[in-house]
Amino acid sequence: MKTRYSYGGDEHIFVEMDEEMSLAAFFKSMAMHDAVRAAGIEGITEVCPANASFQLRFDPDRISGEDLMVRLKALEAGTESAEKRLSTRIIEIPVYYCDPWTHETLMRFRERHQDPSGTDLDYAARINGFDSVEAFIEAHHSQPWFVSMVGFVSGLPFLYQLVGREQQIEVPKYLRPRTDTPRHTVGYGGCFSCIYSVRGAGGYQMFGITPMPIFDPEQKVSYLRDFMVFFKPGDIVKWKPIDRAEFDRIEEEVAQGRYHPRIAEVEFDLAAFEADMTGTNARLMEALDGA
């Protein structure tokens, strides 16, 4: 990895750890982001983290871009030995795959898709070498996912699958974006899965939908009364396939203020994961059994 610094106008600096997303790049970015915040550099007005990068906004009347660059590179040198370990949580997210709502939407926008004759799941399964949609869905939900970024739209998580690079699912976005995507759609684009926190335009392939709200500005949802955005970077997600009956049941429990997602506190150690991915993932998922 070679960190790249670039200006974005007179008030922004973009810091990119690597051109490709990786857990190593995420942890390096997180360590440097935390170091910048802790340093309290005069003139920095905002720090916005992303997948394996972050952006700074600064006041050029209080610190010059050149001086800030010097400070940033010094902080980077000090984070090289930062521990790549995280106290976090694993969360079970129910997903109704092949649901009628995303299916209706994808059928309305087939002319914008790479394979107008099939569904998004058909296309994703085929280009990733699976012999059926069912096998692809199994690969999507069988291992946990790491939340590397929250944003783009309010509360939307970007999720990176905790498997070896050779097992990574990759699916391109739509050729042309849609003007509509149902709220809570579970989508996929590039190497990232996501959950659409609100209804709106989009371009990720649509695989299913969750009945679980992840963004609530009014903070009426039982598990969102302390903070309107559910996810934070470093969270770990385990998808749980559900059917229509369970989807309806969870929606009703959410409406009644009785639904609480299964969550367990866990430790994630990058070195341990890289040494034994299968064992680490099994331990992470087992933690949910006691939640």
Side-chain angles (χ1 to χ4, degrees):
M1 286 185 290
K2 181 173 177 56
T3 304
R4 183 173 68 179
Y5 300 84
S6 56
Y7 287 106
D10 296 330
E11 299 181 358
H12 295 87
I13 292 177
F14 181 65
V15 185
E16 184 180 40
M17 303 303 144
D18 200 4
E19 291 185 356
E20 294 185 356
M21 169 59 191
S22 69
L23 290 174
F26 169 84
F27 273 93
K28 182 177 180 181
S29 177
M30 182 179 68
M32 192 172 171
H33 167 269
D34 292 347
V36 169
R37 285 192 175 277
I41 299 173
E42 174 71 20
I44 291 180
T45 59
E46 189 175 0
V47 186
C48 181
N51 290 311
S53 61
F54 62 93
Q55 181 167 282
L56 300 171
R57 185 176 185 181
F58 65 97
D59 182 347
D61 291 330
R62 297 160 64 193
I63 186 171
S64 70
E66 292 78 7
D67 289 345
L68 182 53
M69 284 283 198
V70 172
R71 296 289 301 275
L72 291 175
K73 291 175 181 178
L75 286 174
E76 179 188 5
T79 61
E80 291 297 331
S81 60
E83 193 172 53
K84 296 178 177 62
R85 184 178 297 171
L86 188 65
S87 295
T88 186
R89 56 184 183 165
I90 183 167
I91 307 156
E92 184 177 81
I93 304 294
V95 184
Y96 180 16
Y97 290 97
C98 303
D99 67 282
W101 304 284
T102 59
H103 183 79
E104 185 275 333
T105 301
L106 69 86
M107 293 305 293
R108 284 195 286 124
F109 291 97
R110 294 324 287 165
E111 81 282 358
R112 305 183 182 208
H113 196 270
Q114 292 89 340
D115 183 8
S117 63
T119 68
D120 294 8
L121 279 165
D122 290 332
Y123 174 67
R126 177 169 57 80
I127 67 171
N128 280 279
F130 291 92
D131 57 10
S132 67
V133 166
E134 291 72 23
F136 178 82
I137 291 174
E138 173 70 22
H140 186 263
H141 74 72
S142 62
Q143 299 298 330
W145 296 71
F146 191 91
V147 177
S148 59
M149 172 182 165
V150 179
F152 181 63
V153 297
S154 299
L156 184 152
F158 287 77
L159 301 109
Y160 185 79
Q161 195 171 28
L162 291 174
V163 295
R165 196 57 181 266
E166 69 283 355
Q167 296 176 266
Q168 286 282 340
I169 297 168
E170 292 194 8
V171 190
K173 296 191 292 183
Y174 273 45
L175 292 174
R176 290 188 293 132
R178 301 177 300 273
T179 56
D180 186 32
T181 308
R183 184 178 72 140
H184 301 159
T185 291
V186 175
Y188 206 98
C191 65
F192 291 105
S193 196
C194 79
I195 303 172
Y196 283 73
S197 53
V198 297
R199 184 173 185 171
Y204 274 29
Q205 308 286 335
M206 295 179 288
F207 294 167
I209 200 164
T210 178
M212 183 181 151
I214 60 169
F215 173 62
D216 181 19
E218 297 181 354
Q219 295 179 257
K220 293 180 178 179
V221 174
S222 56
Y223 52 86
L224 289 173
R225 287 174 183 155
D226 295 327
F227 194 57
M228 68 178 69
V229 172
F230 182 66
F231 288 107
K232 60 181 182 292
D235 279 342
I236 297 171
V237 165
K238 175 62 176 69
W239 306 113
K240 178 191 176 185
I242 59 173
D243 58 16
R244 177 62 186 268
E246 191 167 4
F247 181 93
D248 291 343
R249 178 185 63 79
I250 293 173
E251 272 207 325
E252 180 64 22
E253 289 185 2
V254 169
Q256 295 176 357
R258 297 188 292 109
Y259 184 73
H260 292 278
R262 293 178 69 199
I263 301 174
E265 302 297 320
V266 293
E267 296 288 324
F268 183 82
D269 185 309
L270 180 60
F273 172 74
E274 291 177 335
D276 182 10
M277 295 183 185
T278 300
T280 298
N281 285 350
R283 288 188 290 274
L284 288 170
M285 292 185 290
E286 286 168 3
L288 282 171
D289 294 337

